[in-house]
Amino acid sequence: MQINKLSDWLPTTNKEVKIRGWEELDVILFSGDAYVDHPSFGPAVIGRILESYGLKVAIVPQPNVNDDLQDFTKLGTPKLFFGVTGGCMDPMVSNYTASKKRRDKDAYTPNGDKGFRPDYATTVYTNILKDKFPDVPVLIGGIEASLRRVTHYDYWSDKLMPSILETSRADLLVYGMGEQPLREVVKLLQKGVPFSSLRTVKQTAFLVRKDETIPKNKNWDDVEIHSHDVCLENKKKFASNFKIIEQESNKLKARRIFQGIKDRTLVINPPFPTMLEKEIDASFDLPYTRLPHPKYNKRGPIPAFEMIKFSINIHRGCFGGCSFCTISAHQGKFIASRSEESVLREVDKVANMPDFKGYLSDIGGPSANMYKMKGKIQSICDKCVAPSCISPVICSNLDTSHKPLTKLYQAVDKHPKVKKSFIGSGIRHDMLVPEFNKNADPKELDDYTEEVMTKHISGRLKVAPEHTSDPVLKLMRKPSFEYFHKFKERFDKINVKKNLKLQLIPYFISNHPACEVEDMANLAAETKDMGFQLEQVQGFTPTPMTVATVIYYSGYHPYTLKPTKTPKSKKEKDEQHRFFFWYKKSNKDWIRNTLNKLGRKDLVDVLVPEKENKSWKSIKPASVKNTFDNAIPASHTRRKRKHKSKKKRS
């Protein structure tokens, strides 16, 4: 068994710097998360990447901003730059719920303690550093910086904010996954290029004075979007910006984006191509201890680490392009997959950890089943500007073969110390339905589904249909709910065939743009018809850099510029969310009165009848009816519920 030394982690104190025999540092990183030296934690990845280039790197996790600020000065001045990230989540999502209430726990802090990460952490940390070290460059990155790189709506302050480069005073911003741009930044700095001259590195952004010459690049075309001041005055023009930003973020040959901010110009350089297999392997193969820093040993476990301690991330990116999701905005829509060999090396490391009991908690990614999927003809993908490869239909050029993934699962399970590998990541159920995934081999889809159901879940399979209303699903860039019905039929068939008693756990969202109370009533009735009593639900939370958030703030769809309604008041949101819990006694009278006002007596009879079917009393939360003993006939599971409102739907 390997015993780690303190020097196996990146140093966090002067004592640890001295242990390594260093007199000065090249880069000092500041992070809103506790330091976990693991490839699933961005700050650790960046630290290890910089270290692999021969740099002397230290990290200051969760510096105190409420004292004399000595955490910001204790390691001195770095030779090259400070690096700042708010952490693995946007700090406002870490700190607040969808209803803007302060969270009781912070998953990225020992013991889940709150109060160790300030709101808008990247801006707070960077401003402190610029005050104390005005001549030292600051480079910001991570999801907070990435999604706030351009004019964006901030839900928690209810304001339209300029680029985080403006509010933080940072010198350079890296957006997306940072390995490729950081490699270029370090290479140029080591050649003696001044930090202030780093103006043509892909996947970076910076501010220049209006009278300053912007370096030309013969390989790039440029596009200018509406200035921040124009966006403040005109919500429709703000919305129109997003289409350009999203499309340029996902193109192989993207344009450089300019935006005016007061007396300066924001410059966003095009992104790097999707990481090659050898590049992403190299990132995951770095010498991580895979453990929290020993400084936390007496403070308690870090919840986010405990969740992924025995999990393996096999790819990055997501081609779903869901309107409410930030994954493709940060990781890109094209999939960067690790080699099977790299995954198996990590499995071996995990299997030899002293407290490993034989169970891997997850073999997955942003979506569990997108491993190795890509365009069949790359030249077609090179010209594509579609934000999603599977909405409104699966692209005929997309190879959705699940064979490499099935093969990987089987290879993992052959490890002598692995008793069982679970799939904890959500699965795109729509890609497993032949009626939707028309170019796939139906047998292959069934083989994968059967492999997962029989070997890789423990009673429950998580999927995310998100809604039942076709207008809402269309705006979400999700397929019709009919494909969830079809997937459930296949799920039930395998359950019977293999004599299993597995549950299907669907996730749903309320309060999404285009969703009305009647849509939620239909959702409640249809899922009740199917035997579900929902608990895996959430209210829509507007986060920067998503279609849905742009609609929430502006009232316009950024691609059509047509007005689109969104529930915004607390009353509207609470009423929509309440329909998820039709089975609670405290909601029944309210639901009955609401549906009667809507003229939906038909839904009253389904959701809150005077005499409830006794079989419902035995249903467990978030479960589906036992498909063997109390199966609902297929003819009753797809009751067509038309939206009776005469108002024109957006």
Side-chain angles (χ1 to χ4, degrees), residues 6 57 62 105 126 154 221 282 308 403 488 503 544 584 622:
L6 187 58
V57 185
Q62 299 187 319
K105 297 282 186 181
T126 305
D154 180 70
D221 293 325
I308 57 88
K403 282 184 180 179
K488 183 180 178 299
Q503 295 178 352
K584 291 187 176 181

Side-chain angles (χ1 to χ4, degrees), residues 231-473:
C231 291
L232 288 172
E233 296 172 1
N234 191 312
K235 290 184 176 182
K236 195 170 188 178
K237 289 184 177 179
F238 162 71
S240 71
N241 275 356
F242 185 81
K243 179 180 178 181
I244 297 171
I245 296 163
E246 184 175 50
Q247 289 184 339
E248 299 306 323
S249 297
N250 287 316
K251 280 164 128 180
L252 183 72
K253 194 173 183 330
R255 294 178 289 180
R256 181 168 55 174
I257 297 173
F258 297 152
Q259 184 188 32
I261 302 178
K262 299 180 181 176
D263 60 345
R264 296 197 285 178
T265 299
L266 169 67
V267 181
I268 304 176
N269 289 339
F272 273 91
T274 305
M275 291 179 79
L276 300 174
E277 183 178 87
K278 65 179 182 180
E279 291 177 310
I280 192 168
D281 280 359
S283 181
F284 278 87
D285 290 345
L286 293 168
Y288 305 97
T289 62
R290 296 186 61 86
L291 295 168
H293 191 280
K295 70 193 298 179
Y296 306 121
N297 287 349
K298 295 181 180 179
R299 286 183 54 188
I302 298 171
F305 169 70
E306 295 299 319
M307 184 182 296
I308 57 88
K309 185 177 184 179
F310 301 124
S311 71
I312 309 291
N313 189 343
I314 61 175
H315 81 268
R316 292 179 186 162
C318 179
F319 47 67
C322 297
S323 296
F324 50 83
C325 181
T326 61
I327 291 172
S328 62
H330 185 59
Q331 295 191 13
K333 77 171 182 178
F334 298 111
I335 306 301
S337 298
R338 298 171 64 185
S339 68
E340 183 177 305
E341 293 75 21
S342 175
V343 172
L344 293 179
R345 282 195 295 271
E346 187 175 1
V347 168
D348 190 60
K349 284 183 183 178
V350 173
N352 285 291
M353 292 174 69
D355 51 350
F356 181 69
K357 306 298 183 185
Y359 300 97
L360 294 171
S361 60
D362 187 24
I363 306 290
S367 280
N369 56 326
M370 290 187 182
Y371 180 68
K372 295 277 189 180
M373 295 184 186
K374 60 181 181 179
K376 299 170 187 174
I377 302 172
Q378 185 58 43
S379 60
I380 294 175
C381 294
D382 294 347
K383 299 173 185 175
C384 179
V385 297
S388 172
C389 303
I390 54 177
S391 176
V393 296
I394 294 181
C395 175
S396 59
N397 188 50
L398 180 65
D399 180 1
T400 59
S401 173
H402 285 65
K403 282 184 180 179
L405 187 51
T406 304
K407 179 173 175 284
L408 178 66
Y409 292 164
Q410 292 166 349
V412 168
D413 287 349
K414 287 179 181 176
H415 193 287
K417 292 188 177 180
V418 173
K419 296 176 182 177
K420 186 164 185 172
S421 59
F422 293 97
I423 310 304
S425 304
I427 285 177
R428 286 294 306 219
H429 68 278
D430 45 354
M431 291 204 301
L432 300 174
V433 177
E435 291 86 351
F436 184 65
N437 195 353
K438 296 177 181 178
N439 295 316
D441 178 356
K443 183 180 183 307
E444 182 191 307
L445 300 182
D446 280 349
D447 287 347
Y448 173 79
T449 306
E450 191 169 307
E451 168 81 16
V452 170
M453 289 178 63
T454 56
K455 298 179 181 177
H456 302 288
I457 58 174
S458 180
R460 300 175 137 206
L461 178 64
K462 297 188 295 185
V463 294
E466 306 294 8
H467 218 287
T468 60
S469 162
D470 283 337
V472 178
L473 287 167

